[in-house]
C-alpha cells in the first residue's frame, strides 16, 4: 500500500492549484473592500451642521461681548462698537469688581470667596 495515496494523505496535501480570488470591482481597493466607499454628503447632514453652527454662534456671542467689554474702559464702551476688540487691555474693571463688588449685602468684593485673607 502506498502511503501517498491514502485518503488522509490526500486531505493533508496542498491543492494542485491555489484558489483564485475574485478580482475587486471597479473603484474598490483589493485590500479595503466595500467598507471604505466615499461618503456622499446628504442635504440633511448639511442642514443639521448648519443649525448647530448657528446655535453655537448665538450661544457664544454674549460671552464674547461680555469678555471684550470687560477689558475696555468706560469711554471706549460709550463711543465704540460692542463687538469690537479693546484698543488696549484695561484690568481696572476686574480690579474694581474683585475688590469692591457687592455680593448680597456685603460690599467687600469677591475676596471673602477666594479663600485668601488680605
Amino acid at each position: 500500500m502506498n502511503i501517498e495515496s491514502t485518503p488522509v494523505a490526500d486531505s493533508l496535501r496542498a491543492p494542485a492549484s491555489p484558489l483564485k480570488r475574485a478580482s475587486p470591482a471597479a473603484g474598490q481597493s483589493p485590500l479595503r473592500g466595500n467598507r471604505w466607499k466615499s461618503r456622499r454628503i446628504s442635504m440633511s447632514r448639511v442642514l443639521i451642521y448648519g443649525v448647530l453652527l448657528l446655535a453655537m454662534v448665538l450661544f457664544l456671542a454674549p460671552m464674547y461681548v461680555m469678555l471684550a467689554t470687560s477689558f475696555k474702559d468706560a469711554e471706549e464702551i460709550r463711543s465704540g462698537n460692542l463687538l469690537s476688540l479693546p484698543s488696549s487691555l484695561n484690568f481696572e474693571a476686574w480690579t474694581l469688581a474683585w475688590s469692591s463688588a457687592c455680593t448680597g449685602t456685603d460690599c467687600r468684593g469677591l475676596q471673602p470667596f477666594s479663600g485668601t485673607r488680605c
Side-chain angles (χ1 to χ4, degrees):
M1 179 174 205
N2 190 355
I3 297 177
E4 292 182 14
S5 65
T6 62
V8 174
D10 288 342
S11 67
L12 295 176
R13 188 179 307 137
S17 64
L19 296 175
K20 290 185 178 180
R21 292 186 179 173
S23 61
Q28 292 181 356
S29 169
L31 299 176
R32 294 187 181 164
N34 289 333
R35 63 186 175 145
W36 294 104
K37 280 186 177 179
S38 63
R39 284 187 174 174
R40 286 182 22 163
I41 299 174
S42 66
M43 194 62 179
S44 62
R45 187 175 296 256
V46 170
L47 182 65
I48 288 171
Y49 283 125
V51 168
L52 287 174
L53 185 66
L54 179 66
M56 180 188 72
V57 168
L58 291 176
F59 179 77
L60 293 178
M63 186 167 290
Y64 166 75
V65 170
M66 178 190 69
L67 283 174
T69 305
S70 71
F71 291 114
K72 295 177 184 178
D73 58 355
E75 184 59 36
E76 192 174 359
I77 292 171
R78 282 191 292 262
S79 66
N81 185 3
L82 280 179
L83 298 177
S84 65
L85 289 172
S87 58
S88 64
L89 291 179
N90 183 357
F91 292 98
E92 211 174 297
W94 286 87
T95 307
L96 182 66
W98 193 260
S99 63
S100 65
C102 294
T103 54
T105 58
D106 187 15
C107 289
R108 291 184 293 160
L110 300 174
Q111 289 175 354
F113 301 104
S114 67
T116 59
R117 301 276 180 198
C118 292

